[in-house]
Amino acid sequence: MAHGYERHDCEVLVIGAGGAGLRAAIEASAAGARTAVVMKSLLGKAHTVMAEGGMAAALAHVDDRDSWKVHFADTMRGGQYLNQWRMAEIHAKEAPERVRELEAWGALFDRTADGRILQRNFGGHRYPRLAHVGDRTGLEMIRTLQDHGVHQGIDFHMETTAFRLLKDGERIAGALCYERERGRFVVFRARAVVLATGGIGRAYRITSNSWEYTGDGHALAYHAGASLMDMEFVQFHPTGMVWPPSVRGVLVTEGVRGEGGVLRNRDGHRFMFDDIPENYRNQTATDPDEGWRYVIGDKNARRPPELLTRDHVARCINREIKAGRGSPHGGVYLDIAWIREKLGDAAREHIRRKLPSMYHQFKQLAGIDITVEPMEVGPTVHYIMGGVRVDPETQMSDVPGLFAAGEVAAGLHGANRLGGNSLSDLLVFGRRAGLYAAQYARSVSDPTLDEDDIQRAAAEALAPFERDGGENPYALQRELQDLMQDLVGIVRTEAELLRALEGIARLRERARNVSVGGNREYNPGWHTALDLEPLLTVSEAITRAALERKESRGGHFRDDYPNKDPQYGAFNLVVRKAADGTMQLERRPLAPMPEELTRIIEEQK
Amino acid sequence: MTAHPTRRVTLRIWRGDRNDGRFVDYVADVDEGMVVLDAVHLVQATQAPDLAVRWNCKAGKCGSCSAEVNGMPRLMCMTRIDQLPADEPITVEPMAAFPLVRDLVTDVRWNYEVKKKIRPFRPRKPDAADGTWRMDQEDVDRVQEFRKCIECFLCQNVCHVLRDHDKHAEFIGPRFFVYAAALEMHPLDTEDRLADLRHRDGIGYCNITKCCTVVCPEHITITDNAIIPLKERVADRFYDPIRRALRVLFGD
Ligand SMILES: Cc1cc2nc3c(=O)[nH]c(=O)nc-3n(C[C@H](O)[C@H](O)[C@H](O)COP(=O)(O)OP(=O)(O)OC[C@H]3O[C@@H](n4cnc5c(N)ncnc54)[C@H](O)[C@@H]3O)c2cc1C
Ligand code: SF4
Ligand code: SF4
Ligand code: FES
């Protein structure tokens, strides 16, 4: 019997309603395209809502030495020069305009004394650059986009998950989705599709990411024939909560360090001063006093080492813990309360005003008052730099009509993302993806859907109901998370990566045998079963790329090749699905950088 | 590392759909520091794979995991088990003011429809030649409280006008008074929502019981800071005799 489905036609289908998806939809619809958006959760609940610290844009409100050039150079340095330079350039140039536009749509940022948008310090950014609202910037951003978007005639489908991309020959033709509520299928025919599905954090056990981040967009694109790039670069945020066990991984914003928080080991030693990488030495404070002066805005002082890039800070924390100098629950101490030595009694109020949700989070979940006690923190999987390989101008992938923006796309961040560069990425490239998707949609006719494809995909989605007594999807997901955490984590070796590959292959076999009970109505067991395939696909891509990159750079650290190797700085790793269904890896040389940009990088060294 | 003491608890979880449902007891061993959402997930992973529940952030930031825990409207992810009575089962049931989808999941779409009706933000002309505005932190601070709302809809769930009197067609509920206040008091906004608030949004139904304020996980003082000032503005406009006379003469 044929599987039934509801059918919708649109010109641009956006998959995902975080910052990137909403910004893309607003732009596509403003450009006149009939636009629909699907999302796994309710509107306003995407990952973007959790972002805390802020969005990076060289507005130069706090330090007038800032400019797009400095932002560009910072982004490239942070990414260890594997970034697509053109994306880093576009991002640095367009971010200020995108932030101002949010203000015009109603966002309210914290202010400078002269009434402009205030900017804060963040790791790897030379000057205070992050526009923010306390520590809930993501909420401000997503709510602004959501409230603006609902008046633009966009067709929103909440709790509707894309399961398969549909094609018409080489070009994109739409997507097959299922509704969570009733479990019914919905097919969208679309001339262009924008992927804005966010990240992959659920492939790991300790992560700041929610259940949604199972790498769906990465896997959808891969199976549709697009390339994934830079998948070996996973960002471990240095500071996740470590205690109590149930909140392990929940994020502690870098804003804590931006406001003067310091890292100490069990012995009270401020270990970040011990190891400052050569390429950051010129920009880093030599003693705690200089670090504090930087925090309070002394323009002649340099950043404290706690604000070095995330890959480095995470590894230093990892080292302290491994060496037995960690805190009681296997982390290190992050202390903001110490600033009362400098600010006296005003410190308490200052912390609560600048970091209200951190205050609340620790008070409620860990029973700790961060204005008087240090927090215990450790690395947590946070972000993936890798993703769908796209054209820097238009965000179109290798598949005609398939676009990607936000965390699911690769290129801007190279080997390591700077904090705050994601929220601005969402706006800059979300807008571009929406714009060019609408343009592309206008230039083509309606695609034809292949009914056989639809029926095959629907049958696959329902297969877990047909089996009895098979594997438990939750247990399988957990096993995969353990495997990735233990074998493809912060520090990698060839032997472990090879073991991981074997493990993933075995889990893939077992995943074919998951079964779920109950019916199709709001059944998380079923949803978890369907999330396994994308998780396995991205896990395999990460592992294969990590094996191939025999050096250490940015978010990728190989214990057996602990140094950077210039030879590996000349290319990105690209993953594609071969005709026989296996995963193929390819080295793709970096595009040569125009001389003007090379000069900017030199000047900012 | 220290050992984590575990504790055995009974979770009495509401299971069912639109047609029919009941409480089911699940026994679970919970770790120190666990929140109700963790325990629900534990049950889901080991005993009831199809148990329907919403969540995202697990840190009180997204407003997805609203439910009634021991009869109190709460975010499950911010409710620690060790702060609940140890010797009784923990009851977990869906919000009562919205139609049930399944188990702990309710249909909250009505809220999204209501929001769409509220007149959107309309800024004044930019203050500076470069198209930007100047605002004082103090003015921004006034509305930041309202903008903290995570749309968990717990306030909507407890408001008797919706919960007991079912005035969904005539009353937008506390969440959207907070939203309207955020817009009305936005330093740049020029739109006027007072007539809507009075005639269409039913602000008059609110009799300031403050139940909404009590349950708000973001500690927004919904009644005192949002609803009462809006009521005053509405009263000034529509019930002040001199102003009314002027309006008759000169239009609204
Ligand atoms: C706790 C935390 C704090 C952070 N703080 C900062 C910060 O201060 N500054 C910064 O720049 N970055 C920060 N980040 C990173 C940043 O928030 C994310 O990278 C960014 O929000 C991702 O946005 P996005 O639009 O790409 O996707 P998301 O916001 O992740 O949204 C993804 C959307 O896709 C949908 N989706 C996924 N799969 C499917 C599918 N199969 N079908 C349909 N829909 C689907 C989801 O439902 C969701 O709507 C933080 C991240 C976390 C977790
Ligand atoms: S104060 Fe008003 S809005 Fe709040 S619960 Fe009571 S009646 Fe409802
Ligand atoms: S006002 Fe408070 S209770 Fe109401 S929806 Fe917002 S956060 Fe929830
Ligand atoms: S899961 Fe986000 S508020 Fe509870």
Side-chain angles (χ1 to χ4, degrees), chain A residues 382-408:
Chain A
H382 186 53
Y383 187 89
I384 184 155
M385 275 63 80
V388 181
R389 185 171 165 273
V390 290
D391 174 70
E393 308 288 333
T394 64
Q395 301 289 105
M396 190 155 95
S397 71
D398 297 348
V399 176
L402 181 62
F403 297 74
E407 190 168 341
V408 69

Side-chain angles (χ1 to χ4, degrees), chain A residues 111 147 210-211 361 521, chain B residues 55-56 61 102 115 137:
Chain A
R111 317 306 294 182
D147 295 350
S210 87
W211 65 272
Q361 181 174 314
E521 294 190 11
Chain B
W55 70 285
N56 280 289
K61 293 190 168 72
R102 222 164 74 80
K115 193 180 210 182
Q137 183 68 39

Side-chain angles (χ1 to χ4, degrees), chain B residues 159-161 171 174 177 205-212 223 227:
Chain B
C159 177
H160 66 102
V161 183
F171 180 70
F177 293 131
Y205 281 114
C206 164
N207 55 348
I208 323 198
T209 58
K210 304 200 182 185
C211 313
C212 50
T223 21
I227 298 180

